[in-house]
Amino acid sequence: DAKTTQPNSMESNEEEPVHLPCNHSTISGTDYIHWYRQLPSQGPEYVIHGLTSNVNNRMASLAIAEDRKSSTLILHRATLRDAAVYYCILRDGSSGSARQLTFGSGTQLTVLP
Amino acid sequence: DSGVTQTPKHLITATGQRVTLRCSPRSGDLSVYWYQQSLDQGLQFLIQYYNGEERAKGNILERFSAQQFPDLHSELNLSSLELGDSALYFCASSEALGQTYEQYFGPGTRLTVT
């Protein structure tokens, strides 16, 4: 899977929006963009994924650049519970490709009260 | 609660010993993945099973093995344990094989080798 680059850490104030960036300049046409997060002392948790169009779900929004070389995970109102490590992961959607998740180092999000 | 259960939660054992970690996937999920998370290596994929068959292997040591049983639960066996095997071991499950299917992770088993 292609590589992603994320900032090591970010801070946000509670109840404010958070924009978590991810660069993936070598993304291929069949790569899906997935986001997972890992809260302290827990297993990773699926957040959202997309291919080309922006996506929204109950947890977050995913904004994908037109050239797909970057994306942004948007938490609309950060809560203390959103403090976690956020992982941006590319997964090749073509048949026969690897199915496991390849985790990088992610972004440690700190939410300040 | 992801619906994936792992036992035990904690395991402390000595070098050279053998342990078995157990995972029950979400109801209806056919695919099970094992991951290892250590401080120096981060989260790394070990092995995947789908409906009882091994489907993918990552950086799994030869001392480690896994299987998935007919009832779809999976076990990860770690033998000849070394201090460096101390880590969190996560199991994840997904509905099917497709790359767009999200994986649901269990709470993990923390293994400490002394």
Side-chain angles (χ1 to χ4, degrees), chain B residues 50-80:
Chain B
Y50 177 76
N51 205 19
E53 292 189 8
E54 182 186 304
R55 296 305 295 257
K57 251 184 177 178
N59 297 324
I60 187 166
L61 300 171
E62 284 192 14
R63 300 183 285 107
F64 296 2
S65 65
Q67 54 184 338
Q68 186 180 28
F69 295 86
D71 66 353
L72 301 177
H73 90 272
S74 178
E75 292 181 356
L76 179 66
N77 301 298
L78 315 176
S79 62
S80 304

Side-chain angles (χ1 to χ4, degrees), chain B residues 37-50:
Chain B
Q37 186 172 33
S38 60
L39 282 174
D40 54 345
Q41 299 278 5
L43 264 162
Q44 289 204 314
F45 167 71
L46 295 178
I47 197 165
Q48 179 206 2
Y49 279 81
Y50 177 76

Side-chain angles (χ1 to χ4, degrees), chain A residues 47-63:
Chain A
V47 178
I48 200 166
H49 78 273
L51 183 61
T52 56
S53 304
N54 295 344
V55 184
N56 300 298
N57 67 19
R58 64 173 181 82
M59 287 183 71
S61 296
L62 176 60

Side-chain angles (χ1 to χ4, degrees), chain A residues 32 34 36 38 41-44 46 49 87 91-94 96-101 103, chain B residues 33 35 37 43 45 48 55-58 90 97-107:
Chain A
Y32 284 79
H34 287 246
Y36 281 74
Q38 187 173 19
S41 303
Q42 294 189 29
Y46 167 81
H49 78 273
Y87 297 98
R91 299 183 76 191
D92 187 350
S94 52
S97 60
R99 299 174 179 92
Q100 66 268 23
L101 296 170
F103 289 86
Chain B
Y33 305 77
Y35 292 84
Q37 186 172 33
L43 264 162
F45 167 71
Q48 179 206 2
R55 296 305 295 257
K57 251 184 177 178
F90 290 105
L97 284 175
Q99 285 79 346
T100 60
Y101 287 95
E102 53 261 42
Q103 293 184 17
Y104 295 87
F105 283 76

